[in-house]
Amino acid sequence: EFYDEWKNVKYKLGGNSRNGIDCSAFTQRIYKEKFDLDIPRTTISQVSVGTEIAKSELMPGDLVFFKTGDIGHVGIYLENGMFIHASTKTGVTISELDNSYFSKSYWKAQRVID
């Protein structure tokens, strides 16, 4: 449902609307609108929210982080190896953790929702 509302919204660094959104603003919005939880605005701040978990323990709603570029990348795990995120290339989309790009750049996961 949330994906349908945001699907194909373009990526915009520093953006926080349907006119363009970046990855950390997107995760912040999902947490606020779907879980009524406030998390920090930036990827580097979101890295320390919650409890770090192993990739093998991922559950829907967990934050997944990647070492990409200077500021990193964040998305939210869905299920079956898939996560939702605001991609610099395709905008808001669903991707596979195990695709070649994301499997190489995977960094860590944080559980925010108990």
Side-chain angles (χ1 to χ4, degrees):
E1 172 188 326
F2 196 83
Y3 176 64
D4 289 336
E5 296 171 27
W6 286 87
K7 179 171 53 177
N8 299 323
V9 169
K10 297 298 177 210
Y11 179 90
K12 180 180 179 186
L13 183 61
N16 192 13
S17 74
R18 285 184 175 75
N19 294 324
I21 193 161
D22 67 25
C23 62
S24 58
F26 184 64
T27 55
Q28 184 187 47
R29 281 188 91 115
I30 290 177
Y31 268 83
K32 184 62 181 167
E33 293 179 23
K34 292 298 169 189
F35 308 117
D36 197 30
L37 289 173
D38 291 310
I39 63 171
R41 168 64 181 84
T42 64
T43 302
I44 202 65
S45 297
Q46 291 177 8
V47 162
S48 56
V49 171
T51 306
E52 186 170 353
I53 57 163
K55 191 175 185 181
S56 60
E57 298 175 52
L58 281 169
M59 291 177 41
D62 291 338
L63 293 173
V64 286
F65 294 92
F66 305 88
K67 289 191 175 185
T68 60
D70 293 334
I71 57 174
H73 187 64
V74 61
I76 296 180
Y77 186 73
L78 297 173
E79 60 187 350
N80 300 322
M82 308 298 279
F83 70 103
I84 189 170
H85 61 120
S87 163
T88 57
K89 291 193 174 13
T90 56
V92 174
T93 191
I94 294 174
S95 299
E96 294 180 39
L97 279 176
D98 290 337
N99 83 24
S100 59
Y101 179 78
F102 289 113
S103 64
K104 278 190 280 193
S105 59
Y106 182 85
W107 175 21
K108 64 185 270 189
Q110 295 287 118
R111 178 152 303 144
V112 180
I113 304 165
D114 290 328

